[in-house]
């Protein structure tokens, strides 16, 4: 079954906290750099009917879904940009606030054909932007063993990266997520194959990051975004793993134009974690343009 815009439903993490962190005001112009299901944008537009938004997403289904779902009174105040937030050409002092939720949207995880999850059999795709050529299948079936090992170690922080890369090269070609996950599990001792975290989790994270150039794009975006902020404008970023959070932390710290609002990142409440299990690893950092 192929996903469609109508299938794109996503529970936003830090739904209220992220928008409050932006400190919205009447006639403000805000950037949602990762539109996803549009939850954060919808809340922000609901604060005041004079607020306008520019929104970005790599996934055309996400944009189409938001266009279908939101009322005309909201859509009239949104400018859509399909692409990578690292490629967005913002203007100096353009926005009163910038926000980004770096997590993979639930529809991308839940539709097997997108290839982000090994819970169901699906193609080894993992592309946020379906128009790009590089897929996870190309990496696992054609890259050299050392390249795969380095990727898994660097982006997945996986201590068994060399063993996993060796197994991948030995058993390829792979066509489905479940085939790959099963091969990765063989690299672990039997007792470790059935723990709380599946043995393939870190490798799948690494492949997804590599396919979408997520860390390089994040670094570029965070280098550009403070220039787009008006004085006293805020930037708020939600990350989901240590590699992302580290980049956000140091990019905020090392930018002289920014004042750190969150000395330590905010984490979801127990109530939110119970309602939305995928929020457990989320961290929210906030900074303000001086």
């Amino acid at each position: 079954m192929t996903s469609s815009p109508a299938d794109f439903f996503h529970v936003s993490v830090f739904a209220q906290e992220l928008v409050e962190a932006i400190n919205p005001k009447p006639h403000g112009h805000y950037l949602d750099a990762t539109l996803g299901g549009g939850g954060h944008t919808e809340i922000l537009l609901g604060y005041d009917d004079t607020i306008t938004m520019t929104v970005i997403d790599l996934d055309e289904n996400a944009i189409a879904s938001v266009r279908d779902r939101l009322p005309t009174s909201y859509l009239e105040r949104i400018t859509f940009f399909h692409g990578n937030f690292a490629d967005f050409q913002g203007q100096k002092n353009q926005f009163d606030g910038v926000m980004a939720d770096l997590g993979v949207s639930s529809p991308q995880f839940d539709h097997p054909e997108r290839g982000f999850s090994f819970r169901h059999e699906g193609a080894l795709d993992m592309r946020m932007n379906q128009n790009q050529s590089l897929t996870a299948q190309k990496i696992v079936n054609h890259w050299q063993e050392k390249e795969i090992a380095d990727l898994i170690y660097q982006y997945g922080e996986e201590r068994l990266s060399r063993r996993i890369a060796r197994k991948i090269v030995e058993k390829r070609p792979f066509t489905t997520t479940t085939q790959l996950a099963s091969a990765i599990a063989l690299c672990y001792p039997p007792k470790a194959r059935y723990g709380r975290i599946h043995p393939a989790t870190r490798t799948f994270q690494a492949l997804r990051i590599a396919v979408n150039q997520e860390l390089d794009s994040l670094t570029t975006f965070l280098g550009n975004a403070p220039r787009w902020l008006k004085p006293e404008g805020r930037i708020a970023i939600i990350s989901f793993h240590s590699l992302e959070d580290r980049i956000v932390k140091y990019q905020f710290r090392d930018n002289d134009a920014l004042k750190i609002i969150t000395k330590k990142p905010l984490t979801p409440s127990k109530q939110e974690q119970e309602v939305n299990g995928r929020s457990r690893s989320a961290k929210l950092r906030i900074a303000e343009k001086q």
Side-chain angles (χ1 to χ4, degrees):
M1 181 181 70
T2 303
S3 62
S4 68
D7 298 323
F8 209 101
F9 175 77
H10 175 66
V11 179
S12 298
V13 177
F14 288 118
Q16 200 68 34
E17 293 91 335
L18 180 64
V19 174
E20 290 176 355
I22 292 296
N23 193 24
K25 56 187 178 183
H27 302 284
H29 184 195
Y30 299 91
L31 173 66
D32 186 345
T34 53
L35 176 64
H40 294 120
T41 284
E42 183 176 9
I43 294 171
L44 192 52
L45 288 169
Y47 261 77
D48 190 279
D49 60 11
T50 62
I51 286 176
T52 55
M53 300 285 304
T54 295
V55 301
I56 306 170
D57 208 283
L58 268 172
D59 193 327
E60 289 180 306
N61 278 344
I63 292 174
S65 173
V66 171
R67 286 186 183 276
D68 288 344
R69 187 176 64 80
L70 292 187
T72 302
S73 60
Y74 280 20
L75 294 175
E76 290 173 343
R77 294 185 277 141
I78 301 176
T79 300
F80 291 90
F81 178 84
H82 173 234
N84 192 315
F85 58 15
D87 299 325
F88 181 72
Q89 301 295 314
Q91 304 298 315
K92 185 177 180 181
N93 298 336
Q94 181 177 2
F95 299 112
D96 294 279
V98 172
M99 58 184 177
D101 175 347
L102 305 178
V104 177
S105 293
S106 297
Q108 293 166 331
F109 267 129
D110 293 340
H111 285 284
E113 73 277 1
R114 298 301 299 269
F116 288 104
S117 173
F118 43 77
R119 290 187 295 113
H120 307 287
E121 184 174 75
L124 277 167
D125 193 317
M126 299 195 192
R127 293 173 297 172
M128 301 280 190
N129 184 351
Q130 297 282 284
N131 296 324
Q132 75 174 48
S133 59
L134 181 63
T135 64
Q137 184 169 330
K138 287 186 178 180
I139 291 176
V140 299
N141 288 337
H142 299 290
W143 283 25
Q144 297 295 317
E145 181 179 323
K146 183 180 185 304
E147 292 179 297
I148 296 173
D150 290 347
L151 178 157
I152 296 170
Y153 181 77
Q154 181 181 357
Y155 294 154
E157 300 180 297
E158 170 59 77
R159 60 184 178 82
L160 299 181
S161 59
R162 295 189 184 280
R163 186 184 303 176
I164 291 170
R166 193 178 311 121
K167 182 65 70 175
I168 286 173
V169 171
E170 173 192 321
K171 289 192 168 290
R172 67 190 185 186
F174 295 94
T175 58
T176 69
T177 53
T178 49
Q179 286 175 345
L180 180 60
S182 296
I184 293 168
L186 294 175
C187 299
Y188 278 73
K191 287 184 179 180
R193 295 174 193 171
Y194 306 101
R196 187 174 62 87
I197 299 176
H198 191 283
T201 299
R202 285 180 285 271
T203 297
F204 269 63
Q205 172 185 296
L207 287 168
R208 191 200 76 224
I209 289 172
V211 167
N212 298 289
Q213 298 181 305
E214 292 178 23
L215 301 186
D216 289 342
S217 295
L218 176 60
T219 300
T220 299
F221 167 70
L222 291 175
N224 293 332
R227 293 196 296 271
W228 309 334
L229 280 171
K230 296 177 182 178
E232 298 184 357
R234 288 188 171 185
I235 179 169
I237 308 292
I238 300 173
S239 63
F240 286 84
H241 55 77
S242 59
L243 297 173
E244 290 176 338
D245 182 58
R246 199 174 301 137
I247 291 173
V248 177
K249 175 182 177 180
Y250 290 125
Q251 288 273 351
F252 279 6
R253 186 197 67 182
D254 296 340
N255 193 315
D256 293 337
L258 295 178
K259 177 179 71 175
I260 306 299
I261 302 298
T262 48
K263 300 300 181 185
K264 292 185 178 180
L266 304 180
T267 56
S269 66
K270 288 184 178 180
Q271 182 180 4
E272 179 167 7
Q273 291 181 43
E274 290 172 359
V275 173
N276 181 9
R278 287 173 178 167
S279 72
R280 290 191 185 100
S281 60
K283 293 181 178 180
L284 171 61
R285 291 186 184 272
I286 309 161
E288 185 175 282
K289 179 78 167 286
Q290 299 190 83

